[in-house]
Amino acid sequence: MKRRLLLSTAVLGALSAAGTSQAADLTLCWAAWDPANALVELSKEFEAESGHTMSFEFVPWPNFADRMLNELNSGGQLCDLLIGDSQWIGGGAENGHYVKLNDFFEAEGISMDDFAPATVYAYSTWPKGTPNYYALPAMGDANAWFYRRDWFENEEIKAAYKEATGDDLREPQSQTELLQIAQFFQGREIDGQTRYGASIFTERGSEGITMGVTGALYTWGFKYENEPGSYDMEGAVNSPEAVEALEFYKELYETATPPGYSDSYMEQSLDAFKSGQVAMAMNWFAFFPGLYADPNTGGDNIGFFVNPPQNQAGSTLGGQGISVVSYSENRDAALEYIKWFAQPSVQATWWELGGYSAHNSVLNDPGFADSAPFAGDFLEAMNDVQDFWQEPAYAELLLAMQKRVHDYVVADQGTAQEALDKLIEDWTEVFEDEGKL
């Protein structure tokens, strides 16, 4: 409590020289999930110091993209600040939805060198890798795994696994070991109930199965292009390694997941784990504080691990940057919020409350890795993250991948090779329409 009060004092002090704009009612738009609740609590400090008031528009994840992209494309003034997905940065920049922040950063002494490079690249820059910034890294995130530590440490279960596989039961060190463990638990009776191996992402309606399957693809060495910026996809998207990874994900789905999990994303993965159905589950680091606090399956009963490597390390990037919407009538006040949020003291409190800071002062603190049971895994994952296309045509590209991989993995249509070949055809058509091929 003492540490919390000291941090709060530091946060309030961060605005001492910033409050210059007329009092405004700012609306911040984001998805409806645990970190959003933490941001509401954090933002009370901004209100107290600045004189501005904060309102929030939080949209459930399945509807978040449609709702917010429609708002931006219509030039709507609902949002002064938007914490938008990393994949939106290209469209936000090229379509004029986001304010370019370079001059503001320079004037206020905000350096992108103070943030983790992967988050700056993914959440802030367009064109990718250039020093053109349209967002401040707000919420670092990646897809990772959690498991029933109490089952993994049960002596009878450990002995049964050793007898069945010849290996020791442990956190999986590869994708294929993860599959072996999940298949071992599939249909196994524990404490009088039938359990299953793993809950994975299979949802087709928004982004679910793409975010899940890329966790396998990246570790096999999948690339979107043979050369960055070339849009040359033949032999990259449908490489032998990519085919093998997609076949792996289908086998994981068919042989090691609960019955009926054909449309599973974040909520379903959490439910499967909390209800005791599965030994392992994939989800975003954003949910890990809440999972650890769960009175039934959290605490000593839960463990966490980074997405295991196969041919290489790789994790699917989540997370978002915070942007000022160009249509806002409260631009000065919105920029004031950005300046406040960028302060190291605010970032430290953000991490304490359950957000995932991308600020180096937080991540490089000697005590960070021990500050939560998943903090070290988060640092490791963020070193090897990869993201989906961040093109302005992101939505069309995503819909194509959702269809092709869902048709193969869940609907059992065709082969992995055919699915990826067709995906190249889909994406080629999109880029031709964009004038990039």
Side-chain angles (χ1 to χ4, degrees):
M1 179 61 71
K2 181 179 179 182
R3 174 170 164 77
R4 176 73 180 90
L5 291 172
L6 288 172
L7 284 171
S8 297
T9 302
V11 168
L12 290 173
L15 280 179
S16 59
T20 57
S21 59
Q22 185 175 356
D25 184 1
L26 292 172
T27 298
L28 188 153
C29 298
W30 200 9
W33 60 338
D34 291 350
N37 300 327
L39 190 64
V40 172
E41 183 66 24
L42 180 70
S43 297
K44 292 176 182 178
E45 317 259 4
F46 173 76
E47 292 179 308
E49 179 65 23
S50 69
H52 303 307
T53 56
M54 296 294 298
S55 300
F56 300 90
E57 182 74 16
F58 297 149
V59 181
W61 271 112
N63 311 110
F64 178 54
D66 284 346
R67 175 71 178 87
M68 289 299 115
L69 292 177
N70 286 337
E71 177 71 20
L72 293 174
N73 290 331
S74 67
Q77 296 182 335
L78 169 66
C79 310
D80 300 298
L81 294 152
L82 174 61
I83 301 182
D85 260 349
S86 57
Q87 297 95 344
W88 304 359
I89 197 74
E94 290 198 7
N95 296 321
H97 300 322
Y98 294 163
V99 173
K100 187 176 181 180
L101 297 172
N102 287 58
D103 291 343
F104 170 72
F105 285 167
E106 183 175 357
E108 299 295 342
I110 298 172
S111 173
M112 289 294 95
D113 291 338
D114 291 337
F115 292 83
T119 65
V120 174
Y121 178 87
Y123 306 154
S124 303
T125 65
W126 187 262
K128 299 317 300 171
T130 64
N132 297 288
Y133 306 118
Y134 293 87
L136 183 87
M139 176 72 188
D141 205 1
N143 195 20
W145 293 81
F146 42 100
Y147 68 98
R148 287 295 299 263
R149 172 175 285 170
D150 54 338
W151 296 355
F152 275 54
E153 294 178 351
N154 180 284
E155 293 300 328
E156 291 185 6
I157 295 174
K158 288 166 63 177
Y161 183 80
K162 182 74 170 181
E163 182 179 356
T165 67
D167 298 324
D168 293 326
L169 184 57
R170 61 180 184 177
E171 294 181 4
Q173 305 300 300
S174 68
Q175 293 284 318
T176 50
E177 186 176 3
L178 185 149
L179 176 62
Q180 177 178 282
I181 294 171
Q183 289 173 336
F184 166 79
F185 278 103
Q186 185 75 355
R188 183 166 295 274
E189 184 174 306
I190 301 175
D191 297 331
Q193 296 185 43
T194 301
R195 317 292 183 167
Y196 301 95
S199 179
I200 63 175
F201 296 162
T202 58
E203 178 260 8
R204 178 172 170 173
S206 60
E207 64 174 16
I209 196 166
T210 296
M211 297 297 105
V213 77
T214 49
L217 288 170
Y218 296 151
T219 65
W220 257 267
F222 174 88
K223 295 181 179 179
Y224 291 93
E225 308 162 276
N226 288 302
E227 294 293 334
S230 68
Y231 305 101
D232 175 16
M233 297 170 283
E234 185 65 41
V237 170
N238 59 353
S239 69
E241 293 80 11
V243 170
E244 185 175 324
L246 188 55
E247 291 172 341
F248 162 85
Y249 200 81
K250 180 179 177 68
E251 184 179 0
L252 181 60
Y253 167 69
E254 290 184 335
T255 66
T257 61
Y261 270 70
S262 59
D263 193 33
S264 171
Y265 195 21
M266 291 180 268
E267 182 179 351
Q268 292 76 19
S269 170
L270 296 171
D271 289 346
F273 188 81
K274 290 181 179 181
S275 63
Q277 292 185 59
V278 295
M280 300 180 291
M282 64 165 50
N283 222 311
W284 304 104
F285 274 99
F287 294 108
F288 288 10
L291 284 163
Y292 185 68
D294 186 89
N296 297 316
T297 55
D300 292 339
N301 294 328
I302 193 172
F304 306 91
F305 60 90
V306 176
N307 188 48
Q310 190 61 30
N311 298 331
Q312 63 183 41
S315 295
T316 299
L317 182 73
Q320 301 87 27
I322 182 169
S323 299
V324 176
V325 178
S326 62
Y327 316 113
S328 168
E329 295 182 345
N330 301 306
R331 183 179 296 192
D332 288 345
L335 289 170
E336 197 174 321
Y337 186 92
I338 296 285
K339 178 180 179 180
W340 167 79
F341 188 74
Q343 300 296 320
S345 54
V346 178
Q347 290 291 305
T349 308
W350 177 222
W351 168 247
E352 274 204 354
L353 291 175
Y356 280 78
S357 173
H359 201 283
N360 289 329
S361 66
V362 177
L363 302 179
N364 295 337
D365 186 284
F368 180 81
D370 296 323
S371 64
F374 39 80
D377 291 329
F378 174 67
L379 289 178
E380 182 180 346
M382 294 304 291
N383 285 329
D384 298 298
V385 287
Q386 296 185 53
D387 200 12
F388 189 75
W389 292 107
Q390 295 192 347
E391 294 284 330
Y394 146 78
E396 290 86 353
L397 298 166
L398 178 62
L399 287 173
M401 187 161 185
Q402 284 285 102
K403 171 178 169 53
R404 295 305 181 190
V405 297
H406 193 278
D407 283 355
Y408 169 67
V409 172
V410 177
D412 197 26
Q413 298 178 13
T415 67
Q417 184 72 61
E418 290 169 344
L420 295 173
D421 289 346
K422 291 176 181 177
L423 183 57
I424 291 177
E425 294 176 7
D426 297 336
W427 284 351
T428 297
E429 183 176 346
V430 171
F431 289 128
E432 287 176 344
D433 290 344
E434 292 281 294
K436 296 184 175 180
L437 281 176

